[in-house]
Amino acid sequence: MLKLRFHGRGGQGAKVASRITGTAAFLEGCHVQDFPLYGAERRGAPISAFTRISRGTIMERGVIPNPDITIVMDQTLLSDPQAEPLAGLKKNGVVFINTPDSPAQVKDEYNIDAQVVTLDITNIGLDMLGSPIISTLAGAVASRIVGIGEESLKNAVEKELSKIITDQKLIAKNIEAAIYCFRTLELLKIKTIQTTQRQDSVIRMPFEPAKISTPSINTTASSLLKRTGNWRLFKPFWDHDVCTKCMICVTRCPEGCISLNEQGFPVADYEHCKGCMICAEECPKKGIKAVRESGSDSVEVMGT
Amino acid sequence: MKKEMLTGNTAAAWGVRLAEIDYIPAFPITPQTEIIETLSGWISEGAMDARFVTMDSEHSMVAAAGAASATGVRVFTATSSQGLMYGFEMLYTVAGWRVPLVMINVSRGLSSPITLGPDHNDILAARDSGFLQIHCENCQEVLDSVLMAYRLAEDERVLLPVFVNLDGFYLSFTREPVEIPDMDEVRRFLPSYKPEHAFFNANRPMAQGVAVLGGAYYSYFKYQMHLASQKALDVYKEICRDFEKEFGRKYDAIEEYRLEDAEYVLIMTNSFSTMGKAAVNRARDQGIKAGLLRLRLLRPFPEEDIRNAIREKKSVGVIDQNISVGKGGILYSEVAGCLYNEKQRPFLISFIGGLGGKDISPQEFEFIFGQLIKGAGAEKVESPHLLYTQEEWEEMQKLKEIAGKE
């Protein structure tokens, strides 16, 4: 059995990626299980999805703590303590990371033992599909790593996308982009070994008074501690030559992240700005640019 | 101390008045309305210093009660039947907040068909919510239970909300003499609420009942509620001892009536137990060694007390004034469950009686004792056996004729 875990941000398509991989394997005649796991749905929040592929009956359910293959659809998740995409990865497993960096760079930077595969599928998505929604691309990458045939992947993308979109042209473009990613990656050899059970014992839970055992949080400033700035793909950047200080961006920001500097120009709290770009959309002067963030480099991709 | 003729509802209101409540979110529903009316009257006269707010529904009412309780004030509210159902979603929520509010439920049958008579499907539906449950037999017990309920709910070892249950009509509108304790006696037994537990404060931001994504976290909080509820059994017994010292009336998790040498036992709850006790007396007059066990506390379920009380009896009839459709009596299952691992255990028979306030006649009690005496040697007993008389059946036929049923 092969166990895959997908990590993405809400809206990127981790769930669809896991379903595409699942369907592709199903079309190859395998037994498959796939399911997503998320909390209160928020665009940008870390989510995960799971796929099990087997030639025999699958006698497992639920989350996969020890995946053979981990698909990381957003590099920023690697430093998100809530996401922990590398947790439980097997020593001889495979981890795919969506990044422009080389496998060697990533291996070194994040101290990864497993085999690393990289491809900048966000850029491929932006180039070929015009948006950073990368479900089919991640599905294609995962299918390639699993060793699924190209025809099954193609059919799976079509089948899964037809359930969520009706635009045939967009589906065709997705198939094209998926096949591109599929062919770009080299075929890997994956060794699967039986998961060793974690050594853990069953305890008897002690009584704790309500003071301790009530689901309350007494520590303050929790939203300040949780920096959501790393959810961003694009960063708003103000052109103060164009800005008329109308403050529409300030009022429209759903996160209350925009304030005014001493000169009265808007500035963002980048530690919490999730990069929804509603400010840019709403700016009457089109004076806010979306700057692509990718690792340490910021690349401007959208002009005024 | 003074003694007056009080209905179950006004006895409840007296309990609340003596407990010096701070806040009452209210929504009226028959047969509970009189509790709320009485309290609102006292507040408007200035006899009680509490904030009274009429809400738009029971759902809001329970939410308001829980939120107010979380600020550290003493809160009371009351409902009945369909009203309890409407507030149901919030029961689990506020119990999870571990807030010590006290809520009265005046039991009434659940629609449909609609009725105003009592049975306990309403309150028993809430048995798994985390609220503790005290069930009353008479009007005095209603008043006393309200006072005890606050002590129980507010105890730092417990901190769970408490239901006090009384039967519609059989207690709610039934007057009988009730001792009303003096304020200073009550204050000795039940001092004002001083929470050590974290509570809402405008100057100190906090979150209560937060989201926990993950079964292990969720299990911890839920199981801690269970442990607190179990702990409440000992705490409750302490409270009973204190109550007896102060007021002279003795309560426990269960009540044993002529049980000492009894061989045939009825298990009952609430106001119908009075009729059960009368049936025990009649059976004793005929030389039958009859007894009755009344369950006063249903959550936590006093398993050990029940086992000790009936372990060596010949046979026991559980009379459920409720029906779990497709299964039978709820208490029967619970009692049977707690006896399963006993080597020596009585023969147990399930009876459903008093549904929607249907009377249980002396003949029906005789029938029950007949079945209990036949006991294990008897032919297979219909389970559960619905208590229903020939006369009632004939009445029902007439009604069907009127309704045009062939």
Side-chain angles (χ1 to χ4, degrees), chain A residues 38-40 205-220, chain B residues 96-98 157 159 196-197 205-210 213 220-221 224 227 231:
Chain A
Y38 42 74
M205 188 183 286
F207 169 78
E208 296 192 306
K211 209 175 187 171
I212 294 162
S213 66
T214 304
S216 326
I217 299 172
N218 300 328
T219 48
T220 52
Chain B
W97 291 351
R98 306 291 297 270
R157 292 164 289 177
L159 276 167
E196 287 173 36
H197 174 51
M206 71 166 305
Q208 191 154 356
V210 297
L213 302 177
Y220 166 79
F221 291 115
Q224 286 298 329
L227 293 176
K231 193 140 262 195

mmCIF file of all heavy atoms in Angstrom, chain A residues 38-40 205-220, chain B residues 96-98 157 159 196-197 205-210 213 220-221 224 227 231:
data_model
loop_
_atom_site.group_PDB
_atom_site.id
_atom_site.type_symbol
_atom_site.label_atom_id
_atom_site.label_comp_id
_atom_site.label_asym_id
_atom_site.label_seq_id
_atom_site.Cartn_x
_atom_site.Cartn_y
_atom_site.Cartn_z
ATOM 1 N N TYR A 38 -10.022 19.328 7.399
ATOM 2 C CA TYR A 38 -9.849 20.779 7.615
ATOM 3 C C TYR A 38 -10.713 21.252 8.753
ATOM 4 O O TYR A 38 -11.627 20.566 9.194
ATOM 5 C CB TYR A 38 -10.147 21.576 6.344
ATOM 6 C CG TYR A 38 -11.347 21.116 5.549
ATOM 7 C CD1 TYR A 38 -12.636 21.374 6.005
ATOM 8 C CD2 TYR A 38 -11.185 20.428 4.344
ATOM 9 C CE1 TYR A 38 -13.726 20.965 5.268
ATOM 10 C CE2 TYR A 38 -12.280 20.011 3.603
ATOM 11 C CZ TYR A 38 -13.540 20.284 4.069
ATOM 12 O OH TYR A 38 -14.622 19.879 3.352
ATOM 13 N N GLY A 39 -10.410 22.437 9.224
ATOM 14 C CA GLY A 39 -11.181 23.022 10.312
ATOM 15 C C GLY A 39 -12.222 23.954 9.750
ATOM 16 O O GLY A 39 -12.819 23.680 8.717
ATOM 17 N N ALA A 40 -12.472 25.070 10.448
ATOM 18 C CA ALA A 40 -13.380 26.075 9.920
ATOM 19 C C ALA A 40 -12.730 26.569 8.632
ATOM 20 O O ALA A 40 -11.602 27.028 8.649
ATOM 21 C CB ALA A 40 -13.513 27.202 10.927
ATOM 22 N N MET A 205 -7.270 8.320 32.471
ATOM 23 C CA MET A 205 -7.221 9.777 32.593
ATOM 24 C C MET A 205 -7.562 10.215 34.017
ATOM 25 O O MET A 205 -8.575 9.824 34.569
ATOM 26 C CB MET A 205 -8.189 10.423 31.607
ATOM 27 C CG MET A 205 -8.025 11.937 31.550
ATOM 28 S SD MET A 205 -9.218 12.708 30.453
ATOM 29 C CE MET A 205 -8.546 12.255 28.870
ATOM 30 N N PRO A 206 -6.695 11.037 34.616
ATOM 31 C CA PRO A 206 -6.991 11.519 35.975
ATOM 32 C C PRO A 206 -8.008 12.660 35.951
ATOM 33 O O PRO A 206 -8.156 13.338 34.935
ATOM 34 C CB PRO A 206 -5.633 12.027 36.465
ATOM 35 C CG PRO A 206 -4.921 12.432 35.226
ATOM 36 C CD PRO A 206 -5.413 11.553 34.110
ATOM 37 N N PHE A 207 -8.687 12.848 37.077
ATOM 38 C CA PHE A 207 -9.638 13.965 37.207
ATOM 39 C C PHE A 207 -8.871 15.263 37.382
ATOM 40 O O PHE A 207 -7.893 15.330 38.116
ATOM 41 C CB PHE A 207 -10.533 13.729 38.432
ATOM 42 C CG PHE A 207 -11.362 14.923 38.821
ATOM 43 C CD1 PHE A 207 -12.515 15.250 38.117
ATOM 44 C CD2 PHE A 207 -10.992 15.738 39.893
ATOM 45 C CE1 PHE A 207 -13.279 16.351 38.466
ATOM 46 C CE2 PHE A 207 -11.749 16.847 40.258
ATOM 47 C CZ PHE A 207 -12.891 17.157 39.542
ATOM 48 N N GLU A 208 -9.327 16.306 36.689
ATOM 49 C CA GLU A 208 -8.762 17.633 36.904
ATOM 50 C C GLU A 208 -9.908 18.601 37.125
ATOM 51 O O GLU A 208 -10.922 18.527 36.430
ATOM 52 C CB GLU A 208 -7.930 18.063 35.691
ATOM 53 C CG GLU A 208 -6.730 17.162 35.493
ATOM 54 C CD GLU A 208 -5.720 17.686 34.493
ATOM 55 O OE1 GLU A 208 -6.113 17.986 33.351
ATOM 56 O OE2 GLU A 208 -4.551 17.785 34.844
ATOM 57 N N PRO A 209 -9.774 19.510 38.092
ATOM 58 C CA PRO A 209 -10.892 20.420 38.385
ATOM 59 C C PRO A 209 -11.235 21.327 37.197
ATOM 60 O O PRO A 209 -10.398 21.554 36.317
ATOM 61 C CB PRO A 209 -10.396 21.236 39.574
ATOM 62 C CG PRO A 209 -8.927 21.020 39.623
ATOM 63 C CD PRO A 209 -8.645 19.701 38.998
ATOM 64 N N ALA A 210 -12.453 21.830 37.208
ATOM 65 C CA ALA A 210 -12.956 22.621 36.083
ATOM 66 C C ALA A 210 -12.070 23.811 35.754
ATOM 67 O O ALA A 210 -11.965 24.222 34.600
ATOM 68 C CB ALA A 210 -14.371 23.090 36.382
ATOM 69 N N LYS A 211 -11.444 24.346 36.777
ATOM 70 C CA LYS A 211 -10.529 25.471 36.593
ATOM 71 C C LYS A 211 -9.519 25.151 35.485
ATOM 72 O O LYS A 211 -9.126 26.012 34.707
ATOM 73 C CB LYS A 211 -9.790 25.667 37.914
ATOM 74 C CG LYS A 211 -9.360 27.070 38.194
ATOM 75 C CD LYS A 211 -8.769 27.060 39.601
ATOM 76 C CE LYS A 211 -8.441 28.431 40.075
ATOM 77 N NZ LYS A 211 -8.065 28.425 41.493
ATOM 78 N N ILE A 212 -9.107 23.892 35.431
ATOM 79 C CA ILE A 212 -8.116 23.458 34.444
ATOM 80 C C ILE A 212 -8.791 22.814 33.237
ATOM 81 O O ILE A 212 -8.393 23.029 32.102
ATOM 82 C CB ILE A 212 -7.140 22.453 35.098
ATOM 83 C CG1 ILE A 212 -6.335 23.162 36.177
ATOM 84 C CG2 ILE A 212 -6.215 21.831 34.065
ATOM 85 C CD1 ILE A 212 -5.669 22.224 37.148
ATOM 86 N N SER A 213 -9.833 22.050 33.493
ATOM 87 C CA SER A 213 -10.362 21.204 32.413
ATOM 88 C C SER A 213 -11.533 21.807 31.640
ATOM 89 O O SER A 213 -12.261 21.087 30.982
ATOM 90 C CB SER A 213 -10.768 19.843 32.987
ATOM 91 O OG SER A 213 -11.851 20.003 33.876
ATOM 92 N N THR A 214 -11.713 23.097 31.712
ATOM 93 C CA THR A 214 -12.744 23.755 30.900
ATOM 94 C C THR A 214 -12.100 24.240 29.608
ATOM 95 O O THR A 214 -10.981 24.750 29.654
ATOM 96 C CB THR A 214 -13.343 24.944 31.670
ATOM 97 O OG1 THR A 214 -13.828 24.462 32.910
ATOM 98 C CG2 THR A 214 -14.479 25.587 30.909
ATOM 99 N N PRO A 215 -12.780 24.085 28.482
ATOM 100 C CA PRO A 215 -12.176 24.567 27.232
ATOM 101 C C PRO A 215 -12.177 26.097 27.151
ATOM 102 O O PRO A 215 -12.938 26.687 26.407
ATOM 103 C CB PRO A 215 -13.032 23.931 26.140
ATOM 104 C CG PRO A 215 -14.333 23.626 26.796
ATOM 105 C CD PRO A 215 -14.039 23.380 28.241
ATOM 106 N N SER A 216 -11.350 26.718 27.982
ATOM 107 C CA SER A 216 -11.230 28.180 27.984
ATOM 108 C C SER A 216 -9.783 28.547 27.692
ATOM 109 O O SER A 216 -8.877 27.786 27.991
ATOM 110 C CB SER A 216 -11.559 28.767 29.356
ATOM 111 O OG SER A 216 -12.544 28.045 29.993
ATOM 112 N N ILE A 217 -9.607 29.724 27.137
ATOM 113 C CA ILE A 217 -8.252 30.241 26.929
ATOM 114 C C ILE A 217 -8.146 31.537 27.701
ATOM 115 O O ILE A 217 -8.881 32.491 27.437
ATOM 116 C CB ILE A 217 -7.952 30.460 25.434
ATOM 117 C CG1 ILE A 217 -8.053 29.132 24.684
ATOM 118 C CG2 ILE A 217 -6.574 31.068 25.258
ATOM 119 C CD1 ILE A 217 -7.955 29.261 23.189
ATOM 120 N N ASN A 218 -7.273 31.558 28.677
ATOM 121 C CA ASN A 218 -7.127 32.751 29.510
ATOM 122 C C ASN A 218 -5.978 33.642 29.062
ATOM 123 O O ASN A 218 -5.905 34.792 29.446
ATOM 124 C CB ASN A 218 -6.891 32.345 30.968
ATOM 125 C CG ASN A 218 -8.048 31.525 31.506
ATOM 126 O OD1 ASN A 218 -9.188 31.713 31.110
ATOM 127 N ND2 ASN A 218 -7.751 30.595 32.398
ATOM 128 N N THR A 219 -5.079 33.075 28.262
ATOM 129 C CA THR A 219 -3.962 33.901 27.801
ATOM 130 C C THR A 219 -4.487 34.854 26.737
ATOM 131 O O THR A 219 -5.271 34.476 25.878
ATOM 132 C CB THR A 219 -2.851 33.036 27.189
ATOM 133 O OG1 THR A 219 -3.470 32.135 26.275
ATOM 134 C CG2 THR A 219 -2.109 32.281 28.247
ATOM 135 N N THR A 220 -4.058 36.082 26.803
ATOM 136 C CA THR A 220 -4.565 37.092 25.863
ATOM 137 C C THR A 220 -3.683 37.164 24.623
ATOM 138 O O THR A 220 -2.648 36.525 24.547
ATOM 139 C CB THR A 220 -4.611 38.467 26.542
ATOM 140 O OG1 THR A 220 -3.336 38.721 27.103
ATOM 141 C CG2 THR A 220 -5.668 38.521 27.611
ATOM 142 N N GLY B 96 -20.669 22.303 28.607
ATOM 143 C CA GLY B 96 -19.254 22.284 28.227
ATOM 144 C C GLY B 96 -18.499 23.496 28.741
ATOM 145 O O GLY B 96 -17.290 23.437 28.948
ATOM 146 N N TRP B 97 -19.198 24.580 28.936
ATOM 147 C CA TRP B 97 -18.574 25.780 29.530
ATOM 148 C C TRP B 97 -18.306 25.578 31.015
ATOM 149 O O TRP B 97 -17.636 26.379 31.628
ATOM 150 C CB TRP B 97 -19.490 26.996 29.393
ATOM 151 C CG TRP B 97 -19.673 27.511 28.012
ATOM 152 C CD1 TRP B 97 -19.003 27.133 26.883
ATOM 153 C CD2 TRP B 97 -20.609 28.525 27.596
ATOM 154 N NE1 TRP B 97 -19.465 27.840 25.806
ATOM 155 C CE2 TRP B 97 -20.450 28.701 26.210
ATOM 156 C CE3 TRP B 97 -21.555 29.290 28.260
ATOM 157 C CZ2 TRP B 97 -21.208 29.620 25.477
ATOM 158 C CZ3 TRP B 97 -22.307 30.201 27.532
ATOM 159 C CH2 TRP B 97 -22.127 30.355 26.154
ATOM 160 N N ARG B 98 -18.926 24.527 31.574
ATOM 161 C CA ARG B 98 -18.795 24.225 33.004
ATOM 162 C C ARG B 98 -19.312 25.377 33.864
ATOM 163 O O ARG B 98 -18.680 25.797 34.836
ATOM 164 C CB ARG B 98 -17.331 23.900 33.353
ATOM 165 C CG ARG B 98 -16.718 22.794 32.503
ATOM 166 C CD ARG B 98 -17.288 21.439 32.776
ATOM 167 N NE ARG B 98 -17.031 21.002 34.135
ATOM 168 C CZ ARG B 98 -15.958 20.320 34.505
ATOM 169 N NH1 ARG B 98 -15.045 19.989 33.613
ATOM 170 N NH2 ARG B 98 -15.803 19.932 35.751
ATOM 171 N N ARG B 157 -15.283 21.279 42.791
ATOM 172 C CA ARG B 157 -14.950 19.924 42.333
ATOM 173 C C ARG B 157 -15.913 19.469 41.234
ATOM 174 O O ARG B 157 -15.679 18.472 40.567
ATOM 175 C CB ARG B 157 -15.042 18.939 43.503
ATOM 176 C CG ARG B 157 -13.976 19.147 44.558
ATOM 177 C CD ARG B 157 -14.344 18.427 45.846
ATOM 178 N NE ARG B 157 -15.460 19.076 46.524
ATOM 179 C CZ ARG B 157 -16.014 18.617 47.651
ATOM 180 N NH1 ARG B 157 -15.580 17.508 48.205
ATOM 181 N NH2 ARG B 157 -17.015 19.268 48.221
ATOM 182 N N LEU B 159 -18.671 21.950 39.228
ATOM 183 C CA LEU B 159 -18.879 22.971 38.201
ATOM 184 C C LEU B 159 -19.550 22.442 36.934
ATOM 185 O O LEU B 159 -18.977 22.460 35.844
ATOM 186 C CB LEU B 159 -17.580 23.695 37.882
ATOM 187 C CG LEU B 159 -17.301 24.841 38.880
ATOM 188 C CD1 LEU B 159 -15.881 25.350 38.756
ATOM 189 C CD2 LEU B 159 -18.282 26.004 38.656
ATOM 190 N N GLU B 196 -13.952 30.690 41.889
ATOM 191 C CA GLU B 196 -12.486 30.700 41.737
ATOM 192 C C GLU B 196 -12.152 30.425 40.282
ATOM 193 O O GLU B 196 -11.098 30.764 39.784
ATOM 194 C CB GLU B 196 -11.859 29.574 42.566
ATOM 195 C CG GLU B 196 -11.880 29.813 44.062
ATOM 196 C CD GLU B 196 -11.394 28.564 44.795
ATOM 197 O OE1 GLU B 196 -10.474 27.878 44.289
ATOM 198 O OE2 GLU B 196 -11.950 28.277 45.863
ATOM 199 N N HIS B 197 -13.104 29.751 39.668
ATOM 200 C CA HIS B 197 -12.975 29.319 38.276
ATOM 201 C C HIS B 197 -12.969 30.554 37.364
ATOM 202 O O HIS B 197 -13.587 31.547 37.672
ATOM 203 C CB HIS B 197 -14.204 28.448 38.012
ATOM 204 C CG HIS B 197 -14.361 27.995 36.619
ATOM 205 N ND1 HIS B 197 -13.371 27.389 35.933
ATOM 206 C CD2 HIS B 197 -15.421 28.055 35.794
ATOM 207 C CE1 HIS B 197 -13.810 27.076 34.734
ATOM 208 N NE2 HIS B 197 -15.045 27.471 34.627
ATOM 209 N N PRO B 205 -9.760 39.836 28.659
ATOM 210 C CA PRO B 205 -10.260 39.047 27.520
ATOM 211 C C PRO B 205 -9.954 37.559 27.684
ATOM 212 O O PRO B 205 -8.896 37.198 28.185
ATOM 213 C CB PRO B 205 -9.476 39.610 26.321
ATOM 214 C CG PRO B 205 -8.850 40.857 26.794
ATOM 215 C CD PRO B 205 -8.708 40.771 28.280
ATOM 216 N N MET B 206 -10.891 36.739 27.301
ATOM 217 C CA MET B 206 -10.681 35.298 27.327
ATOM 218 C C MET B 206 -11.633 34.647 26.333
ATOM 219 O O MET B 206 -12.548 35.299 25.826
ATOM 220 C CB MET B 206 -10.965 34.728 28.726
ATOM 221 C CG MET B 206 -12.434 34.736 29.048
ATOM 222 S SD MET B 206 -12.937 33.746 30.453
ATOM 223 C CE MET B 206 -12.330 32.141 30.077
ATOM 224 N N ALA B 207 -11.394 33.392 26.046
ATOM 225 C CA ALA B 207 -12.308 32.654 25.178
ATOM 226 C C ALA B 207 -12.792 31.433 25.938
ATOM 227 O O ALA B 207 -12.015 30.784 26.625
ATOM 228 C CB ALA B 207 -11.588 32.230 23.910
ATOM 229 N N GLN B 208 -14.079 31.158 25.830
ATOM 230 C CA GLN B 208 -14.634 29.996 26.538
ATOM 231 C C GLN B 208 -15.333 29.072 25.537
ATOM 232 O O GLN B 208 -15.974 29.532 24.603
ATOM 233 C CB GLN B 208 -15.630 30.463 27.596
ATOM 234 C CG GLN B 208 -16.039 29.353 28.527
ATOM 235 C CD GLN B 208 -16.484 29.857 29.883
ATOM 236 O OE1 GLN B 208 -16.426 31.036 30.148
ATOM 237 N NE2 GLN B 208 -16.921 28.973 30.734
ATOM 238 N N GLY B 209 -15.205 27.779 25.783
ATOM 239 C CA GLY B 209 -15.821 26.810 24.877
ATOM 240 C C GLY B 209 -15.193 26.890 23.495
ATOM 241 O O GLY B 209 -15.878 26.874 22.485
ATOM 242 N N VAL B 210 -13.884 26.952 23.462
ATOM 243 C CA VAL B 210 -13.169 27.191 22.210
ATOM 244 C C VAL B 210 -13.212 25.979 21.281
ATOM 245 O O VAL B 210 -13.557 24.878 21.698
ATOM 246 C CB VAL B 210 -11.700 27.559 22.488
ATOM 247 C CG1 VAL B 210 -11.617 28.852 23.261
ATOM 248 C CG2 VAL B 210 -10.990 26.439 23.229
ATOM 249 N N LEU B 213 -9.770 21.280 17.385
ATOM 250 C CA LEU B 213 -9.788 20.412 16.217
ATOM 251 C C LEU B 213 -8.864 19.249 16.514
ATOM 252 O O LEU B 213 -7.668 19.388 16.540
ATOM 253 C CB LEU B 213 -9.345 21.189 14.972
ATOM 254 C CG LEU B 213 -10.218 22.408 14.678
ATOM 255 C CD1 LEU B 213 -9.679 23.179 13.489
ATOM 256 C CD2 LEU B 213 -11.655 22.000 14.413
ATOM 257 N N TYR B 220 -10.561 14.709 25.938
ATOM 258 C CA TYR B 220 -10.120 15.167 27.259
ATOM 259 C C TYR B 220 -11.211 15.987 27.926
ATOM 260 O O TYR B 220 -11.601 15.714 29.059
ATOM 261 C CB TYR B 220 -8.831 15.990 27.133
ATOM 262 C CG TYR B 220 -8.482 16.776 28.390
ATOM 263 C CD1 TYR B 220 -7.889 16.156 29.486
ATOM 264 C CD2 TYR B 220 -8.762 18.139 28.476
ATOM 265 C CE1 TYR B 220 -7.593 16.872 30.640
ATOM 266 C CE2 TYR B 220 -8.480 18.857 29.621
ATOM 267 C CZ TYR B 220 -7.884 18.216 30.704
ATOM 268 O OH TYR B 220 -7.609 18.925 31.841
ATOM 269 N N PHE B 221 -11.720 16.983 27.222
ATOM 270 C CA PHE B 221 -12.720 17.873 27.818
ATOM 271 C C PHE B 221 -14.009 17.124 28.153
ATOM 272 O O PHE B 221 -14.599 17.313 29.209
ATOM 273 C CB PHE B 221 -13.000 19.065 26.898
ATOM 274 C CG PHE B 221 -11.833 20.009 26.801
ATOM 275 C CD1 PHE B 221 -11.158 20.188 25.599
ATOM 276 C CD2 PHE B 221 -11.403 20.717 27.918
ATOM 277 C CE1 PHE B 221 -10.069 21.050 25.521
ATOM 278 C CE2 PHE B 221 -10.324 21.578 27.845
ATOM 279 C CZ PHE B 221 -9.651 21.751 26.640
ATOM 280 N N GLN B 224 -13.452 14.754 31.111
ATOM 281 C CA GLN B 224 -13.340 15.496 32.366
ATOM 282 C C GLN B 224 -14.727 15.865 32.897
ATOM 283 O O GLN B 224 -14.948 15.885 34.106
ATOM 284 C CB GLN B 224 -12.480 16.751 32.180
ATOM 285 C CG GLN B 224 -10.986 16.468 32.059
ATOM 286 C CD GLN B 224 -10.396 15.820 33.303
ATOM 287 O OE1 GLN B 224 -10.840 16.054 34.421
ATOM 288 N NE2 GLN B 224 -9.394 14.974 33.116
ATOM 289 N N LEU B 227 -15.929 12.770 34.601
ATOM 290 C CA LEU B 227 -15.290 12.581 35.906
ATOM 291 C C LEU B 227 -15.863 13.558 36.930
ATOM 292 O O LEU B 227 -16.096 13.198 38.087
ATOM 293 C CB LEU B 227 -13.768 12.761 35.783
ATOM 294 C CG LEU B 227 -13.026 11.697 34.970
ATOM 295 C CD1 LEU B 227 -11.547 12.054 34.853
ATOM 296 C CD2 LEU B 227 -13.185 10.313 35.580
ATOM 297 N N LYS B 231 -17.777 12.707 40.338
ATOM 298 C CA LYS B 231 -17.344 13.327 41.592
ATOM 299 C C LYS B 231 -18.537 13.969 42.299
ATOM 300 O O LYS B 231 -18.617 14.010 43.523
ATOM 301 C CB LYS B 231 -16.265 14.381 41.272
ATOM 302 C CG LYS B 231 -15.526 14.846 42.500
ATOM 303 C CD LYS B 231 -14.048 15.015 42.243
ATOM 304 C CE LYS B 231 -13.294 13.805 42.710
ATOM 305 N NZ LYS B 231 -11.929 13.803 42.871
#
